[in-house]
Amino acid sequence: VPGGGWAFDDASSSVIRLSNGMVLYLREVNDYLALVCLLRAENLSKRGLIDYNIDCFKRALSQVFALAEPQPSSSHQGN
């Protein structure tokens, strides 16, 4: 990719139609996670709703990760 950037962004997704009438829908959650959804093909017409729910999930997950990060302590402990 020119400029050394990524070839995808937060809105990147992939749709794979399977021979059994199902669809794999893949979306990036963060730099380390992707969400893989298995849907019936007819439900893909509700893609706006699916994307909205995935975005809500992404926000909630980022809050969980923020809580899990070590917080710098303002107090200094002595021996």
Side-chain angles (χ1 to χ4, degrees):
V1 174
W6 293 99
F8 55 87
D9 59 17
D10 288 342
S12 294
S13 64
S14 180
V15 176
I16 301 168
R17 296 183 187 277
L18 304 175
S19 61
N20 64 356
M22 300 294 280
V23 172
L24 280 177
Y25 183 52
L26 297 90
R27 278 278 306 268
E28 176 192 0
V29 173
N30 64 27
D31 290 342
Y32 306 102
L33 287 174
L35 184 65
V36 179
C37 306
L38 183 61
L39 310 166
R40 285 189 222 113
E42 62 267 16
N43 290 333
L44 197 58
S45 64
K46 301 173 187 171
R47 191 162 172 178
L49 180 60
I50 294 167
D51 286 338
Y52 173 78
N53 285 326
I54 291 172
D55 289 338
C56 289
F57 176 75
K58 286 171 63 170
R59 282 192 301 274
L61 195 60
S62 68
Q63 291 174 353
V64 170
F65 285 145
L67 290 174
E69 290 179 359
Q71 301 296 321
S73 76
S74 59
S75 64
H76 206 82
Q77 295 180 344
N79 291 352

